[in-house]
Amino acid sequence: MQAEEQDKMNEWVRLTSTDGYDFLVKRKVAMGSGTLRNSLSAESSFSEALSNTCHINERAVIVEKLCEYLSYKSLYDGAKKNEEIPDFQDRVQPEISLELLVAADYYDV
Amino acid sequence: MHAESEPGGRKLPTLVQYCQRVASAHVNSFERLGEGWPEELIRPILNSCSAETLWRLEEQDPYIGAYTDDIWETICQKAYPTLFQPLEHSGSETWKDEFARCKEEHEMRLEKAAANLREKRQRDEERRKETSIKITDQLPPPKRARWGGPAPPKTLFQKTRSEAAKLQKGVFGARMARQSFQRRTVVSNAASAKPPPPATSSSSASGSRVIVRTVTVPRKPPPANASGSAPVRAGTGARMSAVPPASIPAAAPAASPPAASPPASSPPPMPKSPDDRSLPPPPLRPPQKKNPASALFMPKHRAYSQLPRGVQSKS
C-alpha cells in the first residue's frame, strides 16, 4: 500500500494556465497546496483526479510562481533547524505580488 | 508524506505571507487594489502604507474604507501629534475626516509662517537696496576744490628755470625710449620713488617742483665752457643728480664720488665739470657692477604725483 502511494507520488501532474501553458510537477509537490490536494485526491470524483490534470485559473506567470513555491516548500519543509534555507521573498516580484496573493490564498499555499 | 511537516521540522512561511511582505514593501507604488479583497488579506498591506497612498487607494476602491478607520487613527497620531485630540465625536466623524482636518490646519500654519518669512525677507531686501551701490549717470561732487588756485606770479628767473626743465625732459615718449641709458647710470636707491631731491634741487636751485630725472647723454662730458648755457648745465647737473646720495658704492658710477660729496650743498655744478673731463666718458665706462636687486626697486615710470600734468606748482 505504501509502495503504491510512493509510486503515485512520483507521478507527474499537469497544471494548466489560462494562457495555454502547462506545468508538470510531481504529485508530491502539488500536494503542498491544500486545494490541489483535494482536487487530485484519488478518492474524489473530480475529473482532475482521473486525468492527473489540474486547471488553474491564473496566468502562466502566476502558475509558474506557484509551482516554484510548491517545489521550494516540498524541498525545505521540515528541514532541520540548522539547515540553511534560501529566502523565497526575493523571488516574488512586486509586480505580481498582489495577483499571487490572491492565488496563494485561493490555493491555500 | 502529505504537506504535514515532520515533527521538529521548521515551518516555512506561506506564500500568502511572502506575498503580503513584498506587497507591504511596495504598497506606495500601487495605483489601485481592485475589487473584492478580503480584509484579513489586505490589512497587513494597508498598515504599512503612507497617508497619501491610503487616500489614493480609497479613492479608487472606496469599499476598503470600511476597514481603514483605525489605520487612519494611527496615521493621524503619527503625523500630527500636537493637533491630536481624542475623538469625542458621536461616531459620525471618522478618523479619516480628522486627518483631513489636521492636514488642513497644518497647511494653513505653514502658509502663514511662509508669508511672514517672505514679508520679512522683502523688508530686509529693501533696506539693503537703499544702502547698496546704485548706478547713476551723475558725477559725484569733486572731492576738493582745486588747490592750485591763482599762483603767485612767477619771476622771470623762475619762468626760465621751469621752461628749461621742461625742455630738458622732453616729450614723455622720447624719454621712455631712453630707459636703457638710464639703467647704465644706475641708481640703486630703494627710495627712488621719491624724487631724487637734494642733488636735483642743488642743480636746479629753483625750488620748483619740476624734477629732472637722469638721462645719460651719450656725448662727451660737456666742457666747462658750455656751462654757461642753462640746458647743458642742467644736463650735467642732471647727470650728477642721477646718482642719489645713498647709492651703493659698488654700483656707483665713477662720476658719483664727486657728485656724492655734499649733495645738500648748493655749490654750482661748475666745479664738477672738470672732474668729469678727467674721467672716461660715461658710455665708455666698463659696465658697472649692478646690484641686480636694484632693478627691482627702480620704478620705470614716475610716481603719479610727479607726472607732468600741467599743474600749476606752488612756488
Side-chain angles (χ1 to χ4, degrees):
Chain A
M1 186 61 181
Q2 278 226 333
E4 277 181 34
E5 288 280 338
Q6 285 290 352
D7 285 341
K8 192 123 197 223
M9 281 302 153
N10 274 334
E11 276 178 6
W12 294 95
V13 298
R14 182 189 297 265
L15 305 174
T16 59
S17 72
T18 53
D19 39 0
Y21 284 86
D22 288 356
F23 298 86
L24 292 171
V25 294
K26 287 271 170 76
R27 180 177 276 267
K28 182 177 95 163
V29 168
M31 292 304 183
S33 152
T35 316
L36 289 178
R37 194 187 324 145
N38 293 334
S39 311
L40 294 168
S41 298
E43 288 88 38
S44 79
S45 53
F46 294 150
S47 56
E48 290 92 349
L50 304 170
S51 56
N52 284 339
T53 301
C54 217
H55 179 73
I56 301 195
N57 199 10
E58 301 286 346
R59 299 189 293 145
V61 176
I62 306 296
V63 178
E64 184 185 21
K65 222 26 119 164
L66 271 177
C67 294
E68 204 176 316
Y69 179 78
L70 288 170
S71 313
Y72 168 84
K73 183 173 173 180
S74 92
L75 198 56
Y76 294 112
D77 209 11
K80 299 190 195 79
K81 285 223 163 79
N82 54 359
E83 234 180 277
E84 231 179 77
I85 297 188
D87 190 20
F88 196 79
Q89 187 161 338
D90 303 332
R91 305 177 78 123
V92 177
Q93 285 84 23
E95 295 85 5
I96 60 170
S97 61
L98 285 183
E99 234 178 307
L100 193 57
L101 178 58
V102 176
D105 181 56
Y106 181 79
Y107 285 96
D108 188 24
V109 180
Chain B
M1 187 185 308
H2 301 293
E4 296 165 67
S5 40
E6 291 172 17
R10 284 221 295 235
K11 195 95 174 64
L12 291 177
T14 65
L15 190 54
V16 171
Q17 284 168 343
Y18 276 128
C19 289
Q20 281 172 335
R21 285 186 213 169
V22 173
S24 305
H26 295 87
V27 68
N28 291 319
S29 319
F30 288 168
E31 210 180 296
R32 61 178 299 194
L33 286 180
E35 296 284 324
W37 280 103
E39 185 183 346
E40 56 276 3
L41 276 189
I42 205 97
R43 174 165 282 275
I45 301 177
L46 293 177
N47 267 333
S48 48
C49 72
S50 68
E52 292 85 27
T53 307
L54 192 53
W55 198 282
R56 179 176 68 239
L57 296 178
E58 281 197 19
E59 296 277 305
Q60 299 282 342
D61 300 296
Y63 72 93
I64 66 176
Y67 336 126
T68 55
D69 201 40
D70 43 352
I71 303 182
W72 278 117
E73 182 177 355
T74 319
I75 291 180
C76 215
Q77 277 180 19
K78 270 193 222 151
Y80 307 113
T82 53
L83 303 172
F84 174 74
Q85 304 142 18
L87 268 192
E88 303 133 2
H89 64 100
S90 55
S92 55
E93 196 183 281
T94 65
W95 275 109
K96 186 175 175 192
D97 297 334
E98 177 74 9
F99 178 80
R101 197 179 58 78
C102 288
K103 186 161 180 246
E104 255 179 57
E105 204 172 318
H106 182 78
E107 272 172 21
M108 250 176 32
R109 288 193 188 176
L110 209 64
E111 182 56 43
K112 229 190 291 176
N116 277 344
L117 206 65
R118 235 176 286 139
E119 214 182 318
K120 187 168 185 286
R121 195 155 41 92
Q122 235 172 354
R123 257 184 275 134
D124 280 338
E125 285 269 354
E126 282 171 22
R127 225 175 289 143
R128 214 179 308 139
K129 273 203 194 128
E130 286 170 17
T131 58
S132 71
I133 296 176
K134 296 191 192 63
I135 296 177
T136 172
D137 58 357
Q138 296 170 3
L139 293 172
K143 272 194 191 157
R144 46 197 142 123
R146 296 301 251 161
W147 48 266
K154 277 180 140 181
T155 66
L156 189 60
F157 188 61
Q158 285 171 343
K159 279 194 196 155
T160 319
R161 280 263 170 226
S162 48
E163 270 180 27
K166 281 191 189 139
L167 278 175
Q168 170 61 28
K169 60 180 184 355
V171 178
F172 191 65
R175 197 171 61 79
M176 296 306 291
R178 300 204 208 168
Q179 287 298 315
S180 52
F181 290 109
Q182 189 176 7
R183 282 216 169 189
R184 280 258 207 128
T185 41
V186 127
V187 208
S188 54
N189 187 7
S192 59
K194 289 189 276 201
T200 309
S201 52
S202 71
S203 53
S204 45
S206 66
S208 82
R209 284 186 140 258
V210 176
I211 305 299
V212 180
R213 265 292 187 82
T214 177
V215 173
T216 306
V217 181
R219 54 174 185 237
K220 291 211 180 349
N225 53 14
S227 61
S229 65
V232 180
R233 170 190 315 212
T236 314
R239 194 148 27 101
M240 293 305 149
S241 70
V243 185
S247 66
I248 300 177
S256 72
S261 61
S265 67
S266 57
M270 211 187 320
K272 294 184 188 154
S273 321
D275 287 341
D276 248 359
R277 234 183 326 167
S278 63
L279 298 164
L284 297 183
R285 275 203 304 264
Q288 299 297 318
K289 271 184 290 180
K290 254 200 297 190
N291 182 3
S294 69
L296 283 177
F297 298 110
M298 188 59 186
K300 284 201 167 29
H301 312 290
R302 285 189 175 187
Y304 180 88
S305 58
Q306 305 307 316
L307 287 174
R309 289 188 185 227
V311 174
Q312 296 266 346
S313 57
K314 276 186 185 164
S315 52

